[in-house]
């Protein structure tokens, strides 16, 4: 009897240690910045993600019903304000269009490098991550729709993150709120570089900003275009707090993302489409067409 | 418990875990609960650690974490590491822990959750080489863990039905 108990104890200890070692080995090999999906994970995601999607769509329809038919307070006033804003924006778009044409001409003259254009895939956010340690969102588009790993994800307001995991019909986004997501940032006013990563309470922080840099609260941070994931010029956030300690060579910068993650419903995934044609030839062709 | 009974109970537990993960990733988000995460997988593993002393317990933990990883980016490795370490500690302290009331259940579950948090947050902090994560996450962990501790006694009653045991008899296997 005692021998049996000792044998059982040894078996328990052995199993614990073996499984723990396998888990620790897996942890050492695991990359928290991207996830290659296994067949089994794909099967589970493809089974349950449609239910997540259905629930989110239903919630959207209920919210829309209440907003459009029940809570129609101040609708006319809001309508007038929005019409005026649209007119102003149309004017700005026209002016920017002219600036864009001039930019292309000047780039052609300066014989700028290879241009990369992006395909845009619109997706809906259907669920979030079950863990509180990672800030991940699930969207309803996958490899079947052309989504690729490490594709940047944006909205009209700014940067959301990049594609972390892809299955056939669904993908997971590692957002900029996650400490594992590091974005090469640029403070547009001072052209100061730094690394933006997730912090706490839906904010980010920018590291390696030299303490002598004249940054102020309210400065906008965009992507710098380095690091091979995010294209240049996408808004990331606005400086919310700056702390300078009495020692050290850097300052501690906290920023509020320009994207409202509390109300994020739709995102755009940018899929890189490398332009193999020599950009000079393309620019010249564009100029010729404009002249005609 | 016989192997067949364990398998059936495990299947029901997996279904329960998947339903709860669906609730915490989708339903709670639909109701605007953005800042709160419900760690039901921790409660399930703590229950199994408190009540049972099988040699297959680590394998059960791996299987549960594998299913949980479809809803979470932690991966099965993190939860398995924390689960096995905590269950090993519970195994050693089993004779000292007397879960005889709801209050004692809540206290013990809270302490176990703190241990779980320390393991996970330490591993993640070591991976990203930044220990300030421990402090920032701890502040959000406290209210979440208190809520889970409050519901733990009632949740354990449900798990007792699945694992087919009398909650008050206190026997182990």
């Amino acid at each position: 009897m005692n021998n049996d108990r000792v044998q059982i104890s040894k078996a328990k200890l052995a199993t614990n240690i073996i499984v723990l070692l396998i888990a620790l080995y897996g942890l050492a090999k695991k990359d928290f910045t991207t996830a290659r999906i296994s067949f089994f994970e794909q099967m589970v995601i493809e089974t349950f993600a449609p239910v997540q999607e259905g629930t989110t769509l239903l919630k959207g329809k209920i919210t829309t019903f209440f907003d459009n038919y029940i809570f129609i307070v101040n609708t006319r006033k809001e309508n007038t304000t929005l019409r005026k804003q649209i007119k102003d924006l149309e004017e700005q778009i026209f002016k920017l269009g002219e600036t864009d044409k001039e930019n292309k001409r000047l780039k052609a003259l300066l014989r700028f490098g290879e241009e990369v254009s992006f395909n845009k895939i619109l997706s809906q956010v259907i669920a979030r991550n079950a863990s509180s340690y990672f800030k991940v969102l699930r969207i309803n588009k996958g490899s079947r729709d052309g989504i690729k790993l490490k594709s940047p994800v944006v909205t009209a307001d700014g940067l959301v993150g990049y594609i972390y995991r892809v299955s056939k019909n669904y993908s997971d986004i590692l957002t900029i709120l996650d400490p594992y997501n590091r974005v090469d940032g640029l403070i547009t006013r001072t052209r100061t570089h730094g690394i933006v990563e997730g912090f706490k309470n839906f904010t980010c922080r920018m590291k390696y900003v030299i303490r002598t840099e004249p940054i102020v609260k309210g400065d906008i941070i965009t992507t710098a275009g380095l690091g091979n994931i995010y294209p240049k010029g996408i808004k990331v956030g606005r400086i919310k707090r700056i702390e300078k300690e009495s020692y050290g060579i850097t300052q501690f910068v906290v920023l509020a993302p320009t994207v409202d993650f509390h109300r994020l419903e739709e995102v755009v995934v940018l899929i890189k489409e490398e332009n193999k044609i020599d950009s000079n030839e393309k620019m010249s062709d564009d100029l010729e067409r404009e002249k005609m | 418990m016989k192997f067949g009974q364990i398998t059936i109970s495990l299947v029901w537990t997996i279904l329960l875990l998947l339903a709860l993960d669906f609730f915490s990733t989708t339903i709670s988000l639909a109701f605007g609960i953005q800042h709160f995460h419900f760690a039901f997988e921790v409660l399930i593993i703590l229950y199994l650690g408190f009540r049972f002393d099988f040699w297959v317990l680590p394998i059960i933990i791996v299987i549960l974490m594998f299913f949980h990883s479809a809803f979470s980016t932690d991966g099965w490795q993190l939860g398995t590491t924390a689960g096995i370490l905590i269950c090993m500690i519970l195994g050693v302290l089993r004779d000292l822990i007397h879960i005889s009331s709801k209050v004692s259940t809540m206290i013990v579950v809270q302490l176990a959750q703190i241990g779980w948090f320390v393991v996970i947050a330490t591993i993640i902090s070591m991976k990203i080489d930044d220990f300030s994560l421990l402090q920032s996450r701890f502040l959000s962990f406290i209210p979440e863990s208190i809520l889970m501790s409050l519901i733990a006694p009632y949740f354990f009653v449900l798990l007792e039905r699945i694992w087919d045991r009398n909650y008050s008899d206190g026997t182990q296997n």
Side-chain angles (χ1 to χ4, degrees):
Chain A
M1 188 75 168
N2 275 336
N3 270 344
D4 285 343
R5 281 192 183 164
V6 166
Q7 292 295 328
I8 291 170
S9 294
K10 282 182 181 175
K12 282 178 208 167
L13 187 63
T15 323
N16 275 324
I17 290 170
I18 290 168
V19 176
L20 189 60
L21 286 172
I22 294 170
L24 287 170
Y25 175 73
L27 207 52
K29 300 276 280 177
K30 186 171 168 64
D31 181 3
F32 283 99
T33 56
T34 48
R36 300 276 168 193
I37 200 164
S38 65
F39 170 74
F40 182 76
E41 272 177 340
Q42 175 140 294
M43 207 170 67
V44 178
I45 290 172
E46 294 293 327
T47 307
F48 287 93
V51 186
Q52 290 176 314
E53 187 180 7
T55 309
T56 308
L57 284 171
L58 180 65
K59 176 243 168 189
K61 286 198 189 304
I62 294 170
T63 313
T64 309
F65 174 77
F66 274 89
D67 283 344
N68 289 350
Y69 296 103
I70 311 292
F71 300 128
I72 44 169
V73 180
N74 292 332
T75 305
R76 182 180 281 191
K77 196 177 166 186
E78 208 182 330
N79 201 345
T80 314
T81 315
L82 286 170
R83 280 181 194 278
K84 189 180 174 300
Q85 277 180 5
I86 287 168
K87 262 193 166 170
D88 293 338
L89 287 167
E90 276 172 353
E91 214 180 297
Q92 279 185 37
I93 287 167
F94 176 75
K95 284 180 187 165
L96 286 168
E98 294 299 313
T99 312
D100 184 48
K101 282 179 194 168
E102 192 186 343
N103 192 351
K104 280 182 178 165
R105 284 196 294 271
L106 291 171
K107 273 187 176 175
L109 287 170
L110 289 168
R111 293 182 188 274
F112 228 72
E114 191 177 337
E115 261 204 7
V116 179
S117 59
F118 290 94
N119 280 334
K120 296 182 179 93
I121 301 175
L122 182 69
S123 322
Q124 263 190 311
V125 174
I126 59 169
R128 65 171 179 181
N129 192 34
S131 161
S132 62
Y133 299 98
F134 298 92
K135 303 289 181 209
V136 171
L137 299 170
R138 181 160 287 169
I139 57 173
N140 62 351
K141 293 276 159 66
S143 55
R144 204 175 265 179
D145 305 289
I147 304 279
K148 292 176 191 164
L149 266 181
K150 291 204 170 182
S151 299
V153 182
V154 299
T155 65
D157 293 326
L159 186 65
V160 175
Y162 69 85
I163 298 293
Y164 162 83
R165 179 163 64 173
V166 185
S167 71
K168 257 195 192 149
N169 297 300
Y170 302 92
S171 306
D172 290 343
I173 305 168
L174 190 69
T175 66
I176 57 170
L177 301 174
D178 193 289
Y180 270 104
N181 191 348
R182 281 154 185 169
V183 184
D184 48 278
L186 178 73
I187 300 171
T188 48
R189 189 178 58 85
T190 61
R191 315 307 289 174
T192 308
H193 279 261
I195 301 292
V196 177
E197 61 183 30
F199 189 41
K200 58 180 177 178
N201 296 334
F202 285 74
T203 60
C204 302
R205 63 178 174 183
M206 193 167 184
K207 289 162 75 169
Y208 314 120
V209 177
I210 306 293
R211 58 188 285 119
T212 52
E213 291 290 343
I215 56 172
V216 296
K217 204 169 139 181
D219 275 345
I220 293 173
I221 291 140
T222 59
T223 51
L226 308 168
N228 274 337
I229 297 179
Y230 305 108
K232 189 173 178 173
I234 302 174
K235 268 197 228 172
V236 178
R238 213 176 272 274
I239 295 180
K240 195 173 156 181
R241 198 172 86 238
I242 305 167
E243 285 171 17
K244 286 183 192 178
E245 287 171 4
S246 54
Y247 55 91
I249 59 168
T250 59
Q251 47 190 324
F252 185 80
V253 181
V254 176
L255 46 122
T258 46
V259 170
D260 185 357
F261 283 92
H262 293 94
R263 289 185 180 78
L264 196 59
E265 291 180 0
E266 278 160 359
V267 297
V268 172
V269 183
L270 305 177
I271 309 296
K272 210 181 271 189
E273 192 189 299
E274 256 132 72
N275 190 351
K276 297 267 192 275
I277 303 167
D278 182 25
S279 62
N280 300 331
E281 283 179 31
K282 193 173 181 295
M283 293 295 181
S284 309
D285 288 345
D286 287 343
L287 284 169
E288 293 278 337
R289 256 180 255 130
E290 271 177 45
K291 279 180 196 168
M292 283 157 60
Chain B
M1 274 182 101
K2 290 183 182 161
F3 189 73
Q5 281 178 297
I6 294 173
T7 310
I8 294 168
S9 300
L10 179 58
V11 168
W12 280 109
T13 308
I14 290 167
L15 291 173
L16 176 66
L17 176 63
L18 292 172
L20 292 169
D21 275 341
F22 167 69
F23 167 78
S24 92
T25 56
T26 311
I27 307 283
S28 63
L29 192 64
F31 282 100
I33 304 172
Q34 299 266 358
H35 292 267
F36 231 79
H37 283 81
F38 302 94
F40 290 108
E41 76 282 2
V42 175
L43 282 191
I44 291 172
I45 288 169
L46 288 180
Y47 168 79
L48 294 172
F50 284 140
R51 279 294 178 207
F52 302 108
D53 205 16
F54 310 126
W55 66 269
V56 292
L57 184 59
I59 298 167
I60 293 174
I61 293 172
V62 171
I63 293 169
L64 288 170
M65 285 292 119
F66 211 64
F67 278 91
H68 177 67
S69 68
F71 291 90
S72 163
T73 44
D74 288 0
W76 62 271
Q77 299 94 337
L78 260 182
T80 302
T81 306
I84 289 174
L85 286 171
I86 299 297
C87 288
M88 281 171 81
I89 294 170
L90 289 175
V92 169
L93 299 174
R94 196 181 299 280
D95 292 333
L96 298 172
I97 300 170
H98 295 287
I99 303 177
S100 52
S101 67
K102 290 188 172 62
V103 174
S104 57
T105 305
M106 290 176 195
I107 293 169
V108 175
V109 165
Q110 181 65 33
L111 291 170
Q113 284 187 95
I114 290 172
W116 187 291
F117 167 81
V118 167
V119 172
I120 301 262
T122 305
I123 292 170
I124 294 174
S125 298
M126 280 163 57
K127 271 268 187 182
I128 60 172
D129 193 25
D130 183 0
F131 283 83
S132 64
L133 181 77
L134 270 167
Q135 185 199 359
S136 60
R137 286 280 183 259
F138 189 69
L139 293 171
S140 56
F141 159 78
I142 289 292
E144 290 170 5
S145 64
I146 288 172
L147 179 69
M148 299 314 287
S149 299
L150 290 172
I151 66 172
Y154 309 98
F155 191 67
F156 284 5
V157 170
L158 174 61
L159 289 171
E160 285 285 340
R161 283 175 190 261
I162 291 172
W163 289 86
D164 199 26
R165 291 193 49 80
N166 184 336
Y167 185 63
S168 58
D169 70 8
T171 52
Q172 299 303 323
N173 282 332

